[in-house]
Amino acid sequence: MQITYFLLSLATLTQVLADSSQFKPVASVEGGHAINWKRNTAEKGFVFAADGQLFLGSKNGSITAQITDCGALKLANGTYAAVGEEGLLKEVEATKASVGFAIKGGKLLYQNSQDFYAVDKNSQYYFSISGGGGSATKVSIAAKALAGEGLIGD
């Protein structure tokens, strides 16, 4: 009986501390409105990295990611997301990653908020946790499963 309880507890703990499945972050404009992602006008945009920053835009170069067991957003290229100046997300090494990312109901959260922004700055849409630093459009980020059309779970 004690062995069964121990194994059940260990299995539960392992699930809690495991990294999430890999997913493709997909931005949707609040209210289902379309946005000109600089390459095409659509309701959805994808996260991509360039020059150490994270951007929202068309599907070209879109990234995959996962949430680590400590709440960091790890990108498939081995870098991590960190909140920089004006709330803009940037690529960093593991020791400088921001923590507080999670997935709930198929949506990406940061510090228990699903509010993200596409900040129009320098003719690009920067991926941000706040609306500062330029003209901002509120977006939500779905955690799209890599296989199929569904979202990954909590």
Side-chain angles (χ1 to χ4, degrees):
M1 179 73 160
Q2 290 178 347
I3 292 175
T4 303
Y5 177 74
F6 173 75
L7 291 175
L8 182 59
S9 298
L10 185 60
T12 302
L13 183 61
T14 302
Q15 284 182 326
V16 171
L17 297 179
D19 292 349
S20 74
S21 298
Q22 285 195 338
F23 63 93
K24 185 166 288 295
V26 179
S28 296
V29 179
E30 293 292 304
H33 297 98
I35 189 170
N36 184 343
W37 295 109
K38 304 299 181 190
R39 294 187 181 132
N40 62 339
T41 300
E43 290 181 19
K44 298 186 185 318
F46 297 88
V47 178
F48 68 95
D51 301 322
Q53 291 291 143
L54 295 180
F55 299 94
L56 298 171
S58 69
K59 195 171 184 173
N60 297 345
S62 61
I63 62 166
T64 59
Q66 69 185 138
I67 307 298
T68 66
D69 58 357
C70 59
L73 181 64
K74 182 179 180 182
L75 309 179
N77 66 3
T79 63
Y80 292 78
V83 178
E85 292 181 33
E86 301 173 333
L88 304 179
L89 293 175
K90 61 183 181 176
E91 284 184 289
V92 296
E93 60 191 48
T95 58
K96 296 178 181 177
S98 296
V99 294
F101 289 95
I103 295 171
K104 185 172 183 180
K107 300 282 186 181
L108 182 66
L109 306 176
Y110 180 68
Q111 297 184 346
N112 294 319
S113 173
Q114 67 177 15
D115 295 342
F116 292 96
Y117 297 87
V119 178
D120 189 359
K121 183 176 172 183
N122 301 326
S123 299
Q124 297 191 65
Y125 283 105
Y126 286 72
F127 185 17
S128 177
I129 62 159
S130 67
S135 176
T137 302
K138 189 175 179 181
V139 297
S140 63
I141 307 294
K144 185 179 176 302
L146 296 184
E149 295 298 315
L151 303 175
I152 68 165
D154 301 347

